Amino acid sequence: MRSYSSYVGGEDVPGSEWVYCLRASALLADVLPGLALKRDLEKGRRHDGDSHEIVEARCAIADDEVSQRALEAARAAAPVWGATPLDVRFRVIERFHEELWRRREEFVSVIVAEGHPRTLAEWEVASLLRCSDGPTTAWCRQQMGWDFVEGDRQLRLVRKPDGVVVLSPPLNAAAISSLSGVAVLAAGNALVVKAPRSSPYGVMWALRELLVPVLDEVGAPPGVLNVLCGHPTQMIDQWMESPLVDDIMFFGSSEVGIPLGVEAVRRGKKPILELAGNDGCVVWRDADIDSAAEALTECFFGSGQICMVPNYVVAHPAIADALIDRLVSLAGKVRPGYPEDPEVLLSPVYKTEKYFAYLSEAMEMGAELLTGGRRLEVDGEPSETGIFIEPTVLRVNGLARAREMSAVAKETFFPLLPVVVAEDVPDDQLLGDVIGFVNANPYGLRNSLWAQSPDVIEQFVTRVTNGGILKVNDSHVALPPYLAPNGGGGLTGGPFGELNYPMLRTSHLQGISIGTGIQPRRAVVEAYAAREATR
């Protein structure tokens, strides 16, 4: 059993209370004894966590005092780290990338222990490696500053760190999302990360085992990184009220995140929001049906409990039946199981009531259930008490009323994929209708297209404004070089949301002019004359 105290100002701060993290597969195998063990350990009724193989780790719970100490440590470190040369700060990303690659299998095993299916965990780590690789890092570095010479002036455009950034990762992908903080640190900020109480192990392992040694290696000041596990509402309220906090980076639901962003702005803080997604995928008449269907089954990764998977499909009527047949066949091969099994994609579903409510509403509104709709046990057997949901495909006829269905209009955090079969109208009109449908989505994370026609592709990428990322004839979830994994507008990232490079979002652009021998009054007067001379 690993044991993680709060990490504040470069030191371990013990706690009087602990969260115990049990291996997910052990809980799936025998849930009641596992939960009883966890409860007894956390209540202090027993102290033998080390002797139980299924106990992976324990993490200290930070109180308000420890949380305040973390903010103070970050505020003290921020100006020192912000003035550190960019080469040193970027060395953090380079070394982190090297350590992540070296220990990738160990990291995967930690995420799997928390309950992520192995295939999903490997994709998560691969995405993180892509975000910290040479091409992506080099592009970000180019955005951090420019130098120009104009007459007697040296002109600079420089991105300066915002200061103290606090980060609250999501419950479903806490470890990977917490490592957005690597780029936040490279921008020159100090960082406080809150590990969620329901899944703190991966966050603690990733930051303590991978990132802290790198920061020590480059000589970062104590307090530049602080890692805590605490009560989410209390800690976020403390961050909101504290004058020590500059940016709040929040991952979570739109219902919680949008009001949080409003309140942050009211208090003079910068909100950086990574909220819900409701990604759409368009499959045109000339699409590669097999490849499109394969990409669409990504909606079942982790039982759909990932924000950037396809949530709905718009199918051209000419190929809708063929696409649906292929989808139904592939969905039938997706099964639950223990997360260590590399053939397993499904995870237990936490919002089963909402799943059945959305499914019932859709069918009442005329949707056709093509496959799925049942609870499953870990062995794949249907059961009234199963904690898995069978992969579900719906047919929805027509764009006109599709957005009135919650299954199409909202984020579906479960394995439910509605296929909206568009109206049979001329292609020119239909393409405009489909693009309008995609752009009308109040969420804005990702959208994708499967088509061969160069004109259709060009119109899609030119006219679709919704989404931080557009993918064409590609995996919906795989991350190419240079692109950030998250970001978008609307209910996904707020009115200022866009493709989210944390390094850029947690810094601000500053213009600098350094003159040599300039006479101020003359410079003012001659500016007008010089402008007139160029006309």
Side-chain angles (χ1 to χ4, degrees), residues 42 46 51 74 88 98 123 145 301 325 358 362 420 471 510 512 521 523:
E42 292 177 350
R46 57 192 303 172
S51 65
V88 176
E98 292 168 358
W123 165 70
F301 281 22
D325 287 346
Y358 281 15
V420 181
K471 304 291 286 293
Q510 185 180 72
I512 300 170
R521 182 61 60 85

Side-chain angles (χ1 to χ4, degrees), residues 342-503:
E343 300 301 318
V344 165
L345 287 177
L346 298 180
S347 302
V349 174
Y350 300 105
K351 299 181 179 180
T352 54
E353 295 82 4
K354 184 173 285 189
Y355 163 82
F356 285 107
Y358 281 15
L359 178 61
S360 176
E361 179 200 66
M363 294 176 68
E364 288 173 2
M365 295 178 66
E368 179 184 356
L369 176 61
L370 303 175
T371 188
R374 300 178 296 180
R375 294 179 182 270
L376 302 176
E377 296 291 349
V378 68
D379 61 1
E381 286 297 311
S383 165
E384 292 296 321
T385 58
I387 59 174
F388 293 86
I389 295 293
E390 187 176 18
T392 305
V393 180
L394 294 176
R395 179 180 179 127
V396 179
N397 290 316
L399 297 171
R401 295 191 61 202
R403 286 260 187 243
E404 297 176 17
M405 294 182 185
S406 298
V408 178
K410 299 180 180 180
E411 181 182 55
T412 50
F413 228 53
F414 27 77
L416 171 64
L417 183 66
V419 181
V420 181
V421 181
E423 288 80 357
D424 191 3
V425 298
D427 278 2
D428 287 348
Q429 176 186 339
L430 182 58
L431 182 58
D433 292 344
V434 169
I435 289 173
F437 187 84
V438 173
N439 280 334
N441 187 354
Y443 301 85
L445 189 56
R446 294 187 183 189
N447 291 294
S448 58
L449 168 72
W450 284 87
Q452 298 301 318
S453 166
D455 179 62
V456 170
I457 293 172
E458 185 60 27
Q459 289 203 53
F460 184 85
V461 300
T462 301
R463 296 169 58 190
V464 172
T465 55
N466 177 281
I469 290 180
L470 301 181
K471 304 291 286 293
V472 178
N473 298 328
D474 197 354
S475 159
H476 192 90
V477 302
L479 188 64
Y482 303 104
L483 301 187
N486 300 316
L491 296 178
T492 294
F496 299 106
E498 60 183 359
L499 188 61
N500 183 357
Y501 295 89
M503 187 181 305

